[in-house]
Amino acid sequence: MSRPVRILVCGGGIAGNAVALQLLRGGMAVTVVERAPVPRPGGQAVDLRGPSRKVAERMGLMPGIRKRQLDERGMVFVDEAGRQRSRMPAEMFGGEGLVAEIEIARGELNQVLLDEIADLPAESGVLDYRYGEWVEELEQDGDRVKVRFASGATDEFDVVIGADGLHSALRERVFGPEERYSEYLGAYIAFFTIPTPPGTGLETGWVGVLPVPGSTVALRPDPDPATSMAIISTRIPADPALRGDITMQQYLIRERLTGCGWVIPAILDAMPAAPDFYFDEVTRVRMPRWSQGRVVLLGDAAYCGSPMTGMGTALALIGAYLLAGELLSAPADFERAFDRYEQILRPLVTEVQKGTEKSVRLRHPETRRGVAIMQILMRVLVSRPLHPARALLTHLIGKQGEYPLPDYA
């Protein structure tokens, strides 16, 4: 094409920034719109292993990741009295256990991508980055996509990429209601930053995990020892009234966990003042096709496997690498690029999404007897790594085995 290909990326998270970085390196003109007014800091810890680590290496992200990675040395399962029941060092199972060798907060990984974009050489593609902006109207008209933004501005693009997350507004606008593609898996998850409670019983760099009937509570250290990330998941029937109602969300958590031990009382006391409280459904997204015309979806918007897979960020990075690689390989044939992207990635997505309901059940025993059995299984797992109970691990962590990645020029 005689002019630069113009691409609109909806969403300034990991998927959106990763695909924008690669497209800019390929000389394309990229506009990124992000509804939030500023980059979102912190967030849940994500790990890089297997193919996602290979993608990070190929994209040149590892130096930045190494500077910002969390000091996570392993996971400790505790009981309600705070006694340690089992320990899983990060190096156990070849670094492929519940805690990987490389763990980084979602917001920190996003900042690594933003830093790489900011440091691109002058000869790279053209970038237009807009915070506090989103798509209000979209019309596919022949060889262009006409867009009207929330600000009232209008523009035209060759391709539009929807990387705006689980509750993607672009997906709903182009592909139809979220209910067509979203499957509730029986649990909710929350995470938020709190002052590190005294008396956790945890050594520096260790993540504490307490299973209680119907719920699991984890405490993850932050780089600043004064704060920690509380992560709570709980099994309940879907309740649409919880969406967007922080008061109801926190009431539910308090109702489920009041009376439980370890540091849960301190977590509940600190929860109302948490500056970054997040709460959402544990949901899987399955779509028959990830593109329609000149619009294509990426990351959770297209194939969220739920937080229980541990693969959301991995699939976002891998998907961004593949989609950008295919678009740069065939800039004048977006249909071929979309088909190739889906053909290469869908087998991995299908594998990741298998058995997610089983993982939710395993992580949330409903009775005290079930909790006791889970604690015993974890002790067996870490003390006898070749025991058949190790099969349990494949349902508790994401599957990131061998996966062939195209090597784009």
Side-chain angles (χ1 to χ4, degrees), residues 36 101 133 152 280 287 310 400:
E101 178 199 354
E133 184 70 288
D280 208 346
M287 302 186 68
Q400 293 201 45

Side-chain angles (χ1 to χ4, degrees), residues 144-226:
R144 305 290 276 167
V145 183
K146 297 179 179 179
V147 174
R148 183 175 69 81
F149 295 103
S151 64
T154 60
D155 211 334
E156 297 183 352
F157 301 91
D158 297 291
V159 167
V160 175
I161 299 173
D164 50 343
L166 173 61
H167 304 297
S168 169
L170 188 78
R171 181 186 61 215
E172 182 151 353
R173 192 171 301 283
V174 177
F175 296 82
E178 181 174 319
E179 292 72 25
R180 290 185 190 174
Y181 314 110
S182 180
E183 305 171 30
Y184 178 65
L185 298 175
Y188 286 84
I189 190 166
F191 52 88
F192 47 94
T193 301
I194 62 170
T196 301
T200 64
L202 301 175
E203 299 166 56
T204 302
W206 287 80
V207 181
V209 179
L210 171 64
V212 297
S215 304
T216 298
V217 178
L219 192 67
R220 189 207 79 204
D222 284 339
D224 179 355

Side-chain angles (χ1 to χ4, degrees), residues 9-78:
V9 178
C10 298
I14 289 169
N17 286 326
V19 76
L21 173 63
Q22 294 297 88
L23 292 171
L24 288 164
R25 285 170 167 166
M28 293 190 175
V30 181
T31 297
V32 180
V33 292
E34 166 55 45
R35 185 180 290 261
V38 293
R40 294 169 181 168
Q44 197 170 9
V46 297
D47 57 48
L48 296 174
R49 60 180 103 198
S52 60
R53 178 168 175 174
K54 187 176 293 184
V55 164
E57 290 169 349
R58 290 186 183 181
M59 291 178 65
L61 304 179
M62 291 308 297
I65 289 170
R66 289 289 189 191
K67 290 177 184 176
R68 293 174 175 268
Q69 73 181 78
L70 294 165
D71 179 23
E72 288 199 8
R73 303 176 189 180
M75 186 170 287
V76 178
F77 278 76
V78 302

Side-chain angles (χ1 to χ4, degrees), residues 74-96:
M75 186 170 287
V76 178
F77 278 76
V78 302
D79 62 20
E80 291 197 53
R83 295 176 298 224
Q84 297 188 10
R85 304 298 300 274
S86 57
R87 294 163 63 90
M88 184 182 292
E91 61 271 16
M92 186 171 279
F93 307 113
E96 297 293 318

Side-chain angles (χ1 to χ4, degrees), residues 292 300 362 390:
Q292 186 180 114
D300 282 353
L362 283 169
R390 185 175 179 181

